[in-house]
Amino acid sequence: VLCGGPLLVSLFPFLVVSALIMRSGAGEVLGVLLWPVVRCIGLRSRSAGSVLLIGLVGGFAPAVAAAAEAVRSRELTPQEASALLPACICSGPSFVILTVGEQLLGSRTAGVCLFAAQVLAGWLTAALLCRVCGRPKPLPVPPAAAQTEPPPALDAILAQAAVTYLKLCGFVLYFRMLASGAEALLPKPWTVLPAMLLEVCSGCDCASRTGLWASTLCCAALSVQGASVLLQVRTICPPEVSLGPLLAARVLHLPLSLALFWLVVPGTEQAVQAFSTLSGRVVVMHRVPLDCALLAFAVCCITVAELQKRCSRPCEALHDQHKKTAAR
């Protein structure tokens, strides 16, 4: 029922569209829309912007499929695709806003805040890792004869998208079964952790039933994404694309997304319960003032700059030592 219903409608068309966009050459045109974000991350390829745009609209699976197509068509290097993965591994807006926010938490506004927090945290994490680990070099421009490729065959694209969809369904079903088994065996307060670590949908479902900290735990589940998502990414990506930056980004993404969520969330369950007896004219808000938010952002920028300096000093010293050894 799951694979033939909501998962089919929300995933399979995006897999087909992402492959058509990247194989037809429209990726470089659409990538202009997010070109400032790509440059802030530290990349220079316009196709990286189209991968980010596909992930922003369709979620992580179409974005990873688009990145894989860009690597195969030599629009992105494997190093660029690895650096781009932390920025595009996020759940789609339909799942976060409509399913998690409106259906599970009962607030579409909370769903919008969750989606904005995970997207911004992904972009900032990718930018931080790209500056600490070094910016990957783009591919050299191929000659004009190598740029001419035959138009994409629709039957091949549909067949490949169908095979990819079946693989993703297998991961979702298997890890959802494991999460259901853990929920049946463990006591209620402890069922959230294995569900979050295994599968993102089950993690959000369990987190929404915890009560007071439901929205915060849903934000954590969306940040972790679970083992199911990581294995799906490994299945779609070519072998030469490393998942090292993605795994490192998950560690940084969790506290950053929680901090951003608490900065933009308009209210908490605790405030709503505490002030539920007040008049309808009273609006309970939990928002940081603009000057405090700008100050916190400036402190984060200073921290990133200091980390980059400290990481670049050992590399420069090692490079000088190699030069002296070669001269001797």
Side-chain angles (χ1 to χ4, degrees):
V1 172
L2 173 68
C3 295
L7 196 61
L8 177 65
V9 177
S10 62
L11 183 58
F12 182 72
F14 287 104
L15 292 175
V16 177
V17 170
S18 64
L20 284 172
I21 289 175
M22 301 309 296
R23 293 193 185 184
S24 62
E28 294 187 357
V29 178
L30 294 176
V32 179
L33 298 176
L34 290 179
W35 180 245
V37 180
V38 174
R39 293 304 301 267
C40 290
I41 291 175
L43 302 178
R44 299 179 180 178
S45 175
R46 292 185 179 180
S47 299
S50 64
V51 174
L52 286 180
L53 182 62
I54 292 171
L56 194 65
V57 176
F60 72 92
V64 176
E69 289 292 340
V71 172
R72 295 188 187 99
S73 59
R74 294 186 59 81
E75 295 178 6
L76 288 175
T77 64
Q79 292 76 21
E80 286 179 320
S82 299
L84 191 62
L85 286 181
C88 60
I89 300 302
C90 62
S91 300
S94 60
F95 172 72
V96 179
I97 298 175
L98 300 180
T99 303
V100 179
E102 189 172 3
Q103 296 182 11
L104 298 181
L105 297 177
S107 172
R108 183 175 292 188
T109 304
V112 174
C113 294
L114 287 171
F115 182 70
Q118 70 160 348
V119 170
L120 290 177
W123 291 353
L124 293 175
T125 303
L128 175 61
L129 290 177
C130 195
R131 279 159 177 77
V132 171
C133 301
R135 300 181 180 182
K137 296 182 179 180
L139 283 170
V141 180
Q147 292 181 354
T148 59
E149 295 182 357
L154 184 60
D155 55 348
I157 291 177
L158 289 173
Q160 184 178 359
V163 173
T164 303
Y165 175 74
L166 291 177
K167 292 179 180 179
L168 300 184
C169 287
F171 284 111
V172 171
L173 290 177
Y174 178 70
F175 283 96
R176 182 164 290 194
M177 289 171 60
L178 291 181
S180 301
E183 185 178 1
L185 293 176
L186 297 175
K188 270 195 173 180
W190 300 100
T191 57
V192 180
L193 182 59
M196 289 169 53
L197 296 177
L198 289 173
E199 207 265 329
V200 60
C201 299
S202 301
C204 292
D205 186 21
C206 292
S208 65
R209 292 185 268 113
T210 55
L212 184 61
W213 301 98
S215 59
T216 303
L217 290 176
C218 285
C219 183
L222 291 170
S223 176
V224 174
Q225 289 290 319
S228 174
V229 171
L230 296 178
L231 290 178
Q232 291 176 47
V233 173
R234 180 68 280 171
T235 301
I236 300 175
C237 282
E240 59 269 19
V241 177
S242 173
L243 296 189
L246 177 60
L247 297 177
R250 292 300 96 187
V251 180
L252 300 174
H253 190 279
L254 179 58
L256 187 57
S257 62
L258 290 175
L260 290 172
F261 177 67
W262 280 99
L263 283 175
V264 300
V265 68
T268 62
E269 292 86 349
Q270 184 177 4
V272 172
Q273 290 176 2
F275 295 94
S276 59
T277 58
L278 294 179
S279 173
R281 295 182 179 180
V282 178
V283 179
V284 181
M285 300 294 290
H286 180 78
R287 187 181 297 276
V288 176
L290 180 60
D291 53 350
C292 295
L294 292 176
L295 180 61
F297 179 72
V299 172
C300 292
C301 293
I302 295 172
T303 305
V304 171
E306 290 296 326
L307 287 174
Q308 184 179 3
K309 289 180 181 178
R310 294 184 180 182
C311 293
S312 60
R313 287 173 185 173
C315 296
E316 291 176 357
L318 185 62
H319 184 64
D320 295 338
Q321 185 178 0
H322 283 310
K323 278 187 175 180
K324 293 180 181 178
T325 306
R328 289 177 184 175

